[in-house]
Amino acid sequence: MAFMEDMAAIRDYLKKISRVVSLEADFNFFGTKLVKKEKIDDLLCCVYAKLPDKFKKYLKDGKIKKYNSVVTFSLLHSALTKPFKFNKNFYAIDPNHIKSTIAPLLTSIERDIRMMESDI
């Protein structure tokens, strides 16, 4: 039961990240959304807290391409945490890239986590 609750929380946090980037950005700078660093960091921290240890291990390893969601999550993380050149308190985020990254992540993360848990 805890697995399903964690997956629901992960999905909710990913959707919230998408909403924050799309609708709650502090500034719009030539199509790039500027979002306060602490907002994104807080949401990413919540996602990491719900991810299983195996998933975090694969993220840290960086060499595993077996799971699409690990690769996609890494791409999402790097796209979300690009500091804005003129003010390091903001991240410069391309909202289209975030939408196109979160959508496949939402469909693959649960399946991949189940596969990780069944691997020995």
Side-chain angles (χ1 to χ4, degrees), residues 2-3 10 12 18 22 24 29 31-32 43 48 53 56 58 60-61 72 79 84 86 91 93 97 100 104 108 116 118:
F3 174 78
I10 290 169
D12 288 343
S18 183
S22 298
E24 298 177 24
F29 188 73
T32 299
L43 288 169
Y48 278 110
D53 290 336
K56 289 186 253 188
Y58 289 137
K60 194 174 190 179
D61 186 19
T72 306
F84 183 54
F86 304 113
Y91 286 136
I93 302 171
H97 187 273
S100 67
S108 66
M116 285 176 202
S118 68

Side-chain angles (χ1 to χ4, degrees), residues 59-114:
L59 278 173
K60 194 174 190 179
D61 186 19
K63 298 176 185 172
I64 298 248
K65 306 283 190 229
K66 179 178 177 181
Y67 301 106
N68 288 335
S69 61
V70 173
V71 175
T72 306
F73 190 85
S74 295
L75 291 172
L76 176 67
H77 185 270
S78 64
L80 284 170
T81 57
K82 290 181 188 172
F84 183 54
K85 288 181 185 180
F86 304 113
N87 188 342
K88 300 299 180 199
N89 293 324
F90 290 92
Y91 286 136
I93 302 171
D94 177 4
N96 296 324
H97 187 273
I98 298 305
K99 285 181 185 176
S100 67
T101 307
I102 286 180
L105 185 58
L106 287 170
T107 60
S108 66
I109 194 164
E110 184 174 351
R111 179 194 68 231
D112 286 352
I113 289 174
R114 285 185 190 277

Side-chain angles (χ1 to χ4, degrees), residues 43-62:
L43 288 169
L44 284 173
C45 183
C46 293
V47 173
Y48 278 110
K50 293 295 182 179
L51 288 173
D53 290 336
K54 279 189 177 185
F55 193 94
K56 289 186 253 188
K57 180 182 156 224
Y58 289 137
L59 278 173
K60 194 174 190 179
D61 186 19

